[in-house]
Amino acid sequence: MKSIEFERRFRLSQHGTFQDTLLSSLQSQLHDHPLIGPNIFPILDICLSIDYNHIGMSSSAYMNHPLRVALLAINEVPAPSFNLLATSLLHNIKELSVDTFHNLVGIPDPVLNAISLLTVDRNDLTSAYKDHYYSQLATIPFVAQVKILDKLDNLFLLCLNPSAKVRADYLCEIENYLYPMISQFLPHLYDYFVELVADAHSLGHILI
């Protein structure tokens, strides 16, 4: 990871439009992993074909996020696996394109199960639900790693949310639930996360 300032500025510059450079970078790095790359390209095609229903953002602009999460997985997880990269690309499909999820063909069961585990029930955000949700994620290392990297990517753009309560709740959830998973599954990112969360607390909301 580069500096927090660089990573946030990089994402802000991409916000709102699909970035071909992310796609080409991912494709290039997949070629460097010949044992899994050929099997990931069909998953990438599915990712690029999804019509995401994300409030306040076009489907094509949202696509930057799963591409960035997959790139983080390749670069931050030792020996990235097929399940890790496939789940990185498809992690939000059940929440943002449920019909596509139910019509998926040829996706291995571990990836389908991972997607279901990662999908948050927005109607139940109690502490009891979160305890269960995160405990389930922690039973499968690659699923926990996808969650960590998903949150990492989102943290850089949390400043775009104008609601102080939403930002505070998001950061509190990371501090209470994600930190233990980072320590266990991606410990080299722990200090970076702590610094990034502190930075997000102080930065608050910005307009672009």
Side-chain angles (χ1 to χ4, degrees):
M1 298 296 298
K2 297 183 179 179
S3 72
I4 290 171
E5 181 182 359
F6 177 92
E7 295 287 351
R8 180 179 290 117
R9 190 167 59 245
F10 171 67
R11 286 160 176 79
L12 287 172
S13 70
Q14 299 173 342
H15 192 66
T17 57
F18 176 70
Q19 298 296 311
D20 289 320
T21 53
L22 288 173
L23 177 58
S24 59
S25 178
L26 179 58
Q27 290 170 329
S28 175
Q29 294 199 43
L30 286 174
H31 284 298
D32 293 333
H33 292 269
L35 295 180
I36 59 173
N39 294 321
I40 290 295
F41 279 107
I43 306 298
L44 179 57
D45 289 339
I46 294 173
C47 175
L48 295 172
S49 72
I50 296 170
D51 184 15
Y52 293 102
N53 182 23
H54 190 282
I55 297 174
M57 188 179 297
S58 70
S59 179
S60 61
Y62 176 80
M63 210 170 290
N64 293 333
H65 171 63
L67 294 178
R68 287 195 302 259
V69 174
L71 282 165
L72 285 170
I74 286 179
N75 289 294
E76 298 298 335
V77 178
S81 66
F82 169 85
N83 288 341
L84 173 78
L85 294 180
T87 304
S88 297
L89 287 168
L90 300 176
H91 69 276
N92 272 351
I93 187 175
K94 190 173 183 180
E95 180 177 3
L96 300 180
S97 187
V98 65
D99 290 340
T100 305
F101 174 77
H102 289 306
N103 290 311
L104 285 174
V105 176
I107 305 298
D109 286 343
V111 175
L112 294 175
N113 179 58
I115 295 168
S116 293
L117 286 175
L118 287 162
T119 302
V120 175
D121 181 357
R122 300 292 177 187
N123 295 316
D124 186 2
L125 297 180
T126 61
S127 294
Y129 169 75
K130 290 181 180 180
D131 288 345
H132 177 73
Y133 173 79
Y134 280 95
S135 67
Q136 290 293 104
L137 299 187
T139 63
I140 307 175
F142 82 86
V143 179
Q145 289 167 339
V146 171
K147 185 66 178 183
I148 292 166
L149 299 176
D150 173 39
K151 289 287 192 183
L152 177 59
D153 187 60
N154 287 335
L155 262 173
F156 291 108
L157 296 179
L158 183 63
C159 57
L160 297 181
N161 193 307
S163 170
K165 183 179 187 308
V166 169
R167 296 194 308 272
D169 288 348
Y170 195 89
L171 295 171
C172 182
E173 183 171 326
I174 290 172
E175 292 166 332
N176 290 335
Y177 293 99
L178 207 69
Y179 280 0
M181 291 200 334
I182 300 168
S183 294
Q184 183 175 358
F185 298 109
L186 289 174
H188 71 285
L189 289 177
Y190 185 87
D191 289 343
Y192 191 92
F193 254 94
V194 171
E195 184 180 354
L196 179 54
V197 167
D199 182 78
H201 273 300
S202 64
L203 180 61
H205 175 234
I206 66 171
L207 294 172
I208 59 172

